[in-house]
């Protein structure tokens, strides 16, 4: 069974940076697309970014394009989300997600971590 554990969240001022990490257990990681989602208070969970199984293809939500970068290290079973130029509207719980596909769209994820809180102050 796959387990996803996020870390790296915290409180940061607007304009600052954070790097989220997701540790994955289970043999299926290497051949699966990974993603990051977020959910702000009172809002639905939304897609942030995804990366294909080999890291060759990435997708981003328009709201984070140019500021966030998703990456993975298959040798370490890790996925990362580098977040720069953070804005108060980026405040949310961030979730790591696993897909059964090699390359996944926002609706193709079916395993989730517990989330890590990111708070951006104005």
């Amino acid at each position: 069974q796959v387990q996803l554990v996020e870390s790296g969240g915290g409180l940061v001022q607007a304009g600052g940076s954070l790097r989220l990490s997701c540790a994955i257990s289970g043999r299926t990681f290497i051949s699966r697309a990974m993603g990051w989602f977020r959910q702000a208070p009172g809002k639905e969970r939304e897609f942030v970014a995804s990366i294909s199984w080999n890291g060759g293809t990435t997708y981003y939500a328009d709201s984070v394009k140019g500021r966030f970068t998703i990456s993975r290290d298959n040798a370490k079973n890790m996925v990362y989300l580098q977040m720069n130029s953070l804005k108060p509207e980026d405040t949310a719980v961030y979730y790591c997600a696993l897909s059964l596909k090699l390359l996944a769209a926002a609706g193709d994820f079916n395993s989730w971590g517990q989330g890590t809180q990111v708070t951006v102050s104005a």
Side-chain angles (χ1 to χ4, degrees), residues 6 22 30 33 57 68 78 95 114:
E6 302 94 337
C22 176
I30 293 177
T57 302
F68 290 11
M78 297 290 294
Y95 298 92
Q114 294 299 308

Side-chain angles (χ1 to χ4, degrees), residues 8 16 19 21 45-46 51 57 64 81 86 91 113-114 116 119:
R19 188 193 194 204
S21 299
R45 186 162 55 189
E46 64 174 1
I51 187 167
T57 302
V64 307
L81 185 68
L86 282 161
T91 295
Q114 294 299 308
T116 184
T119 303

Side-chain angles (χ1 to χ4, degrees), residues 7-122:
S7 62
L11 174 64
V12 64
Q13 289 187 332
S17 298
L18 281 175
R19 188 193 194 204
L20 304 183
S21 299
C22 176
I24 304 101
S25 63
R27 297 179 179 179
T28 60
F29 164 73
I30 293 177
S31 57
R32 300 289 184 259
M34 297 294 300
W36 287 94
F37 289 71
R38 66 187 182 186
Q39 186 167 19
K43 296 186 178 181
E44 294 186 353
R45 186 162 55 189
E46 64 174 1
F47 170 80
V48 174
S50 66
I51 187 167
S52 62
W53 71 279
N54 63 353
T57 302
T58 56
Y59 297 121
Y60 296 93
D62 288 342
S63 59
V64 307
K65 202 171 295 184
R67 299 187 298 122
F68 290 11
T69 302
I70 188 171
S71 62
R72 66 190 294 163
D73 186 338
N74 287 352
K76 297 181 179 179
N77 281 10
M78 297 290 294
V79 175
Y80 306 98
L81 185 68
Q82 178 67 43
M83 305 186 296
N84 298 328
S85 301
L86 282 161
K87 305 175 182 180
E89 51 264 42
D90 294 319
T91 295
V93 177
Y94 283 72
Y95 298 92
C96 178
L98 173 72
S99 173
L100 294 178
K101 298 184 176 183
L102 300 177
L103 176 64
D108 293 330
F109 293 89
N110 57 357
S111 296
W112 306 87
Q114 294 299 308
T116 184
Q117 177 70 48
V118 172
T119 303
V120 184
S121 62

